[in-house]
Amino acid sequence: MKFFPDFRNQFSGYQSALKPKDVVRLNANEGRVLNPYREYPLKRNEKILEQFANLYGVEKMNLIADRGVDGILELIFLVFNSPTTRVLTSAPTYGMYKILADIYGQEYFEVPLKGDGSLNSEFLLQSQRPGQIIIICRPNNPTGDICPKEQIEEVLKATQGNSLVVLDEAYADYLDSKEQGLDLLTRYQNLLICRTLSKYYSLAGLRVGFGIANSALVEKLIPYQSPYPVPSIVSDWLVENFNEDFISSANEEFQQMEIEKLKLIEVLTAFGKVKDSKSNFVNLYTAESKRLYETLKSFNVEVRLFEQLNFLRFSIGTQSEMQRLYTSLEHIR
Ligand SMILES: Cc1ncc(COP(=O)(O)O)c(C=O)c1O
């Protein structure tokens, strides 16, 4: 695995206490009052891994669960941090990549996206440099752009396995399955895909996300993970509730969200140029972005301002949240 930092190869990580059946475990210093959460959780909860391996059409060994995609990204930055690592991504994109690069003291290099949302040829050129964490956010936050899938393959080919390519698919559940990147995994050993329960499945508060990659890469990451990445109360909740009915209602909710999104687009058109996305947000481009942001804030409605780029990002919220937004916008018009 050329792209894995050599100096990390010998590390085996913290060995958390396992609990085989029928063994009296007096080796973990847990408290002695009986309650459902007395014991430390498992580092790799097989039930959860199986459940989500099925959802993503991979094997358990291809999956690593953590505290949201943010937790997975943090793990990646921790493991691939070396004095020469460079982070390559396109701009504008999800702000945590830069923050993590700053935290880990890594060089951060951004190449602007093209106007049509595709990756710049400069990005492809830069991806040839070895020893990088290359991050592609698709659909991209905050622009909603979806770069052509062929470009991801071009990047994967350009790296020749010398860098890690991270495909942040936090919003990919909103895409048709063939538009998603999961099928690339069998062909590229240096690809890691991030998925989350926070967006399409409306479970941001659980803090669960997944890294999906070939098993050799997953095995390399596991030792660096914190000993108990998913709390028992969260995995219990998922085992109990994240079933076929839950997925069907998320799919139905997606249809409702699309209707709401069309309504929002119609309302926002009065304020500037609206850009739809295949995600759960739309963007309003206007030279008045700051003023509109402040005004909405005065109505206690928070949207996301990208002042330098002259746009506002509106998440599609609950019905009552959207109603508050529409009422505020009516007052502003
Ligand atoms: C592109 C992108 N990646 C990752 C995340 C974080 O997701 P999670 O809630 O799974 O940590 C977000 C959240 O807004 C995001 O927009």
Side-chain angles (χ1 to χ4, degrees):
M1 206 178 284
K2 278 190 287 179
F3 59 95
F4 193 76
D6 279 348
F7 65 95
R8 298 241 185 255
N9 272 321
Q10 301 308 318
F11 184 67
S12 55
Y14 178 71
Q15 302 303 311
S16 50
L18 283 173
K19 184 158 192 195
K21 272 211 168 77
D22 299 331
V23 167
V24 177
R25 191 176 76 172
L26 300 176
N27 62 353
N29 294 350
E30 289 148 337
R32 60 191 296 265
V33 177
L34 286 175
N35 71 57
Y37 301 106
R38 185 177 82 93
E39 293 169 7
Y40 283 110
L42 297 166
K43 183 162 188 177
R44 281 178 72 75
N45 182 318
E46 295 292 316
K47 275 193 201 154
I48 296 296
L49 292 175
E50 186 158 339
Q51 206 175 348
F52 288 93
N54 287 338
L55 181 72
Y56 298 124
V58 296
E59 300 294 326
K60 282 186 286 187
M61 62 188 179
N62 301 118
L63 215 56
I64 185 163
D66 211 300
R67 192 184 35 75
V69 170
D70 285 340
I72 298 290
L73 290 170
E74 217 172 294
L75 180 64
I76 291 163
F77 274 72
L78 172 77
V79 173
F80 286 84
N81 183 27
S82 88
T84 55
T85 305
R86 183 174 81 164
V87 178
L88 171 67
T89 191
S90 49
T93 194
Y94 180 45
M96 273 308 285
Y97 310 147
K98 167 85 167 73
I99 288 173
L100 285 168
D102 286 348
I103 290 173
Y104 286 95
Q106 287 169 345
E107 189 190 342
Y108 181 81
F109 192 85
E110 277 183 351
V111 179
L113 277 172
K114 281 174 68 176
D116 63 0
S118 63
L119 298 174
N120 212 308
S121 55
E122 174 67 8
F123 187 96
L124 297 169
L125 200 69
Q126 292 292 338
S127 57
Q128 290 171 12
R129 174 176 147 164
Q132 300 189 96
I133 303 172
I134 300 174
I135 312 179
I136 301 171
C137 186
R138 186 178 184 274
N140 184 44
N141 178 14
T143 60
D145 292 317
I146 303 165
C147 71
K149 199 166 166 182
E150 303 79 61
Q151 284 197 315
I152 298 169
E153 287 218 69
E154 275 183 67
V155 170
L156 284 160
K157 283 178 187 147
T159 61
Q160 314 228 9
N162 284 320
S163 288
L164 175 70
V165 178
V166 177
L167 185 58
D168 184 343
E169 290 203 325
Y171 299 94
D173 297 290
Y174 297 99
L175 304 180
D176 291 344
S177 55
K178 60 179 185 311
E179 257 296 294
Q180 303 172 9
L182 290 168
D183 62 309
L184 298 171
L185 284 167
T186 48
R187 273 174 286 143
Y188 299 97
Q189 306 293 298
N190 58 329
L191 172 65
L192 184 138
I193 295 183
C194 298
R195 300 296 288 255
T196 184
L197 304 188
S198 300
K199 311 292 179 188
Y200 188 87
Y201 293 108
S202 304
L203 294 172
L206 287 189
R207 307 306 301 126
V208 177
F210 299 92
I212 314 176
N214 77 85
S215 57
L217 175 52
V218 169
E219 266 168 41
K220 292 278 189 194
L221 296 177
I222 292 170
Y224 294 88
Q225 234 187 344
S226 70
Y228 312 108
V230 181
S232 310
I233 198 164
V234 171
S235 44
D236 287 354
W237 192 94
L238 287 171
V239 169
E240 178 86 18
N241 298 291
F242 200 97
N243 47 29
E244 277 181 19
D245 286 348
F246 187 92
I247 296 170
S248 309
S249 61
N251 294 340
E252 277 163 31
E253 165 45 38
F254 169 61
Q255 305 301 333
Q256 295 305 313
M257 187 204 72
E258 289 290 291
I259 295 169
E260 189 71 66
K261 206 203 279 179
L262 289 178
K263 185 169 169 195
L264 176 63
I265 290 173
E266 198 184 316
V267 172
L268 289 180
T269 306
F271 295 87
K273 190 165 173 285
V274 184
K275 183 169 162 185
D276 191 5
S277 78
K278 281 194 185 167
S279 303
N280 60 344
F281 57 86
V282 297
N283 292 338
L284 171 67
Y285 289 80
T286 161
E288 301 281 291
S289 61
K290 179 80 187 296
R291 201 180 61 81
L292 187 54
Y293 169 79
E294 296 292 354
T295 316
L296 282 172
K297 206 175 159 69
S298 72
F299 284 97
N300 282 332
V301 176
E302 280 283 348
V303 296
R304 189 69 192 268
L305 171 66
F306 295 87
E307 195 181 351
Q308 256 117 50
L309 300 165
N310 270 332
F311 77 88
L312 295 168
R313 192 192 65 200
F314 292 75
S315 307
I316 316 300
T318 63
Q319 253 180 3
S320 67
E321 287 170 334
M322 297 311 281
Q323 206 40 62
R324 284 273 301 273
L325 170 65
Y326 299 141
T327 310
S328 309
L329 288 170
E330 266 169 30
H331 280 96
I332 296 169
R333 230 162 15 129

